[in-house]
Amino acid sequence: MRQGHWVLLSYRLPREPSSPRIAIWRKLKRLGVAQLGDGLVALPADARTREHLDWIAEEIVEAGGTAGMWLARPATLAQERDLARTMAAARATEYEAVVAEAEGTGELTGAERRRLLRRLRGELRRIQRRDYFPPPQRHAAEAAVARLRVADDTERTEERTA
């Protein structure tokens, strides 16, 4: 892994009301940020991550808080590897949950399976958008959802020919 730039968001929000804090945290979580400390998060730097964190910084200021964005590099390659491993582990857990759901469809009806398939496809896309360091579990989740799709296609074909 080549040492790269990271975009950091340092922020502080008032305790009350709590709804802006909760909304900001949910947005940061959807982006897949690495929590470096209290009020300090990081993402690999690219145009998309910078733009997203910039929007969130604006929301923080509008909510009465303070926010600053920084471009930085970890001091050592080992620090960056640890950060990447932590982020990959978080995504791995999310992918494992998708696999478990996709494989636990034994008693579902065709309509229930199709709803689950749509939901899991959406969940897979959301996870992939915040997957900066893809773990091996990504392929397992993609394969599990593909198997679910094939099972659904097979069932539909059998229903049509019956």
Side-chain angles (χ1 to χ4, degrees):
M1 172 181 207
R2 198 178 117 258
Q3 197 168 353
H5 283 94
W6 291 72
V7 60
L8 279 61
L9 172 64
S10 173
Y11 67 97
R12 199 183 263 311
L13 276 163
R15 289 230 178 265
E16 294 299 326
S18 62
S19 55
R21 266 196 356 253
I22 293 167
I24 295 296
W25 177 242
R26 285 182 179 154
K27 288 178 182 186
L28 291 171
K29 187 173 173 144
R30 273 193 304 271
L31 285 176
V33 299
Q35 182 82 38
L36 300 180
D38 190 28
L40 182 62
V41 296
L43 285 172
D46 65 22
R48 184 179 76 88
T49 57
R50 289 177 71 174
E51 183 175 38
H52 282 295
L53 288 181
D54 192 39
W55 289 337
I56 291 173
E58 287 176 19
E59 285 185 49
I60 291 167
V61 172
E62 289 170 6
T66 59
M69 288 188 29
W70 305 82
L71 284 179
R73 279 198 222 235
T76 67
L77 187 55
Q79 286 175 313
E80 187 165 34
R81 283 186 184 138
D82 287 344
L83 191 54
R85 269 194 293 269
T86 300
M87 293 175 80
R91 298 302 79 78
T93 301
E94 294 172 345
Y95 285 128
E96 287 167 356
V98 168
V99 170
E101 277 195 82
E103 292 177 347
T105 61
E107 301 299 316
L108 296 180
T109 66
E112 290 170 331
R113 187 178 301 112
R114 282 187 285 284
R115 278 193 299 276
L116 177 64
L117 179 58
R118 277 192 304 276
R119 190 174 62 73
L120 290 180
R121 282 179 165 168
E123 182 63 16
L124 202 52
R125 281 190 303 274
R126 284 185 291 277
I127 296 168
Q128 289 168 338
R129 279 196 297 267
R130 62 181 171 261
D131 186 2
Y132 303 98
F133 306 98
Q137 290 84 347
R138 178 179 184 157
H139 300 296
E142 290 168 341
V145 170
R147 283 191 300 274
L148 185 59
R149 190 196 81 244
V150 167
D152 184 59
D153 290 348
T154 301
E155 182 177 304
R156 283 181 177 202
T157 301
E158 288 172 358
E159 287 173 358
R160 277 186 238 131
T161 59

